Amino acid sequence: MAPRHRAWAEINLAAFRTNLREAAAVAKQAKVWPVLKANAYGHGAIAAAKICEAEGINRIGVGDSREALELRESGIRTPLLVLGTVIDSELPDMLTHQIEVGVHSELRARELNNLASKTRKVLGVHLKIDTGMARLGVRPEAALRVAQTIHEAPYLELRGVMTHFSAISGGKTAAGQQALFTSTLHEIQNSGIVIPSVHCASSAALYAKSGVIGNAVRPGISLFGILPREHSKPPNLQAVLSLRAQVVFLKDLPSGTPVGYGGRWVSHRPTRIATLPIGYNDGIPYRLGAEGRGNVLLRGCRCPIVGAISMDYCTVDVGHVPGVALSDVATLIGRDGKESICAEEVAEAAGTIAYEVTCSIGARVRRVFCEENQPHILNPIKKTVT
Ligand SMILES: *Cc1c(COP(=O)(O)O)cnc(C)c1O
């Protein structure tokens, strides 16, 4: 039977659960607060949040207010924290739905308190300290003053103090940021302010272990079985996502035929080209089309992507694979037989990071949730070969 979708991402929920439990084991006494921003790095935030809730997670991090509202609307009751900053127009919704936000300045703390006082609702906030990322957060020398402002504001409740590291792996920057965070924390605590939650570790810091300071950690990418490039992957982490598309067209070409926009690839032997209904709008990096950098798996064989990636399609040279048929399942990320292509490999080939590869998977690509990888659905041998 032909696959139901043109292109789809299989999301292995069992693997996500495994990675979540692994994070909890590594974090020891610290709570795991999964970061599900960017639609859970392209994997589907609602499904991921439901698993988190079932696993007893007590806070989830999101990127902006709309992501938080989407989870609330889908029935997620777990406390939510907008990790970055919110803009003025987003604040009323944060109050109505009791979504926690990061505070990055004294001005923002005062504005939030004013607004909250009008609705007579207390807003939970986390003070973010900039220890070296220089993106968001109050400078360490101003942190105590802002913490006091929050502490004294009747409609704000200081739920946590946080920072975000710009580098991990034992380098100077990391050690410096950790030291700065710890000393700033002590300054706030010594003033008598109680900080319920202290959190700083993303995936890299969690698995580097030395980076865990405080009583909560904020892993994102590792929950999807990926670690940032310079870190070696712990063996227990499992890739969650497989990206697949079905062959919608096959054609035999004589040698010397240009393929795709600009005719930048020309067949150098008689061959067969399979067209897949997935392109750069669906998250296949355009750069994979140049110079045949990308590969897909068909019938367990690596096949080079040839010609430019288009918005909706890409073309693959399958001349060396016997029996490829219409509606065969091609794997762009994931396993097919003995071969596999991971998001890290795609990132490397496209000159980007694995985060961008999974986040970029477009809305048109169906997310198909399953409890295990489904290699058995791949390409039964057909009697009639097109
Ligand atoms: C994205 C993010 C995280 C998670 O980072 P990973 O590298 O994906 O683990 C943690 N904290 C903050 C503030 C973030 O923005």
Side-chain angles (χ1 to χ4, degrees):
M1 208 172 60
R4 283 189 45 205
H5 305 300
R6 298 160 66 89
W8 68 100
E10 272 164 38
I11 308 299
N12 181 343
L13 297 176
F16 179 71
R17 211 177 281 113
T18 300
N19 299 340
L20 204 53
R21 290 175 186 173
E22 182 64 16
V26 173
K28 304 219 174 67
Q29 319 87 307
K31 297 275 185 213
V32 173
W33 294 352
V35 175
L36 302 183
K37 62 194 178 195
N39 196 26
Y41 297 50
H43 295 67
I46 294 172
K50 285 188 174 155
I51 293 200
C52 292
E53 212 159 70
E55 293 283 306
I57 291 295
N58 75 337
R59 190 173 267 106
I60 290 171
V62 293
D64 73 5
S65 65
R66 295 197 34 190
E67 292 177 348
L69 294 178
E70 190 195 16
L71 291 182
R72 279 283 176 272
E73 279 157 19
S74 74
I76 297 297
R77 306 264 46 100
T78 304
L80 302 174
L81 164 63
V82 176
L83 292 165
T85 189
V86 287
I87 58 170
D88 290 355
S89 61
E90 299 174 302
L91 291 175
D93 275 339
M94 302 298 92
L95 279 161
T96 308
H97 297 277
Q98 288 293 292
I99 291 158
E100 298 171 355
V101 300
V103 169
H104 306 270
S105 73
E106 175 136 30
L107 179 66
R108 181 33 65 102
R110 294 189 192 288
E111 284 169 353
L112 277 173
N113 183 58
N114 276 344
L115 203 79
S117 71
K118 291 187 184 120
T119 64
R120 303 193 160 275
K121 279 188 176 139
V122 171
L123 186 66
V125 299
H126 294 245
L127 174 62
K128 186 160 186 174
I129 300 169
D130 172 18
T131 54
M133 182 85 167
R135 185 180 63 176
L136 293 168
V138 299
R139 299 296 303 166
E141 52 282 8
L144 176 59
R145 189 159 35 83
V146 183
Q148 279 163 341
T149 303
I150 296 169
H151 186 65
E152 287 156 16
Y155 290 94
L156 298 183
E157 185 180 314
L158 184 65
R159 301 252 169 93
V161 172
M162 64 190 285
T163 194
H164 193 50
F165 298 133
S166 61
I168 314 291
S169 57
K172 235 184 174 169
T173 339
Q177 283 190 262
Q178 288 170 13
L180 199 49
F181 185 52
T182 313
S183 62
T184 313
L185 263 177
H186 288 159
E187 204 190 339
I188 298 171
Q189 283 161 335
N190 290 341
S191 78
I193 295 175
V194 175
I195 308 168
S197 296
V198 170
H199 48 108
C200 62
S202 61
S203 296
L206 172 62
Y207 283 96
K209 293 181 183 127
S210 59
V212 179
I213 299 167
N215 52 9
V217 296
R218 305 187 307 262
I221 194 92
S222 58
L223 300 177
F224 307 105
I226 299 167
L227 265 197
R229 207 177 350 226
E230 58 280 14
H231 304 274
S232 54
K233 191 148 87 185
N236 296 345
L237 294 188
Q238 295 175 13
V240 173
L241 178 142
S242 306
L243 184 61
R244 316 219 199 247
Q246 67 168 298
V247 174
V248 289
F249 201 69
L250 278 167
K251 71 191 118 15
D252 293 313
L253 299 182
S255 185
T257 313
V259 171
Y261 282 115
R264 284 187 298 172
W265 185 85
V266 180
S267 60
H268 50 83
R269 55 174 162 82
T271 193
R272 171 171 269 207
I273 298 292
T275 302
L276 305 179
I278 187 164
Y280 59 76
N281 179 56
D282 306 296
I284 306 306
Y286 182 73
R287 286 184 67 185
L288 282 191
E291 305 147 34
R293 290 175 199 220
N295 288 286
V296 311
L297 306 178
L298 259 161
R299 296 190 171 255
C301 301
R302 280 183 174 255
C303 304
I305 297 177
V306 295
I309 309 273
S310 0
M311 190 181 286
D312 309 326
Y313 293 96
C314 63
T315 36
V316 178
D317 185 350
V318 299
H320 59 299
V321 185
V324 173
L326 278 177
S327 69
D328 266 9
V329 177
T331 300
L332 295 106
I333 298 174
R335 174 167 291 281
D336 177 358
K338 289 197 176 68
E339 281 283 354
S340 70
I341 295 175
C342 59
E344 292 93 322
E345 179 188 330
V346 175
E348 188 72 33
T352 181
I353 52 177
Y355 291 80
E356 191 184 35
V357 169
T358 66
C359 286
S360 303
I361 295 173
R364 264 192 329 204
V365 175
R366 289 298 189 94
R367 269 62 173 180
V368 176
F369 299 98
C370 51
E371 279 295 325
E372 57 179 340
N373 272 328
Q374 305 190 308
H376 53 278
I377 66 165
L378 294 180
N379 310 333
I381 302 297
K382 290 176 183 115
K383 285 205 185 73
T384 49
V385 174
T386 20

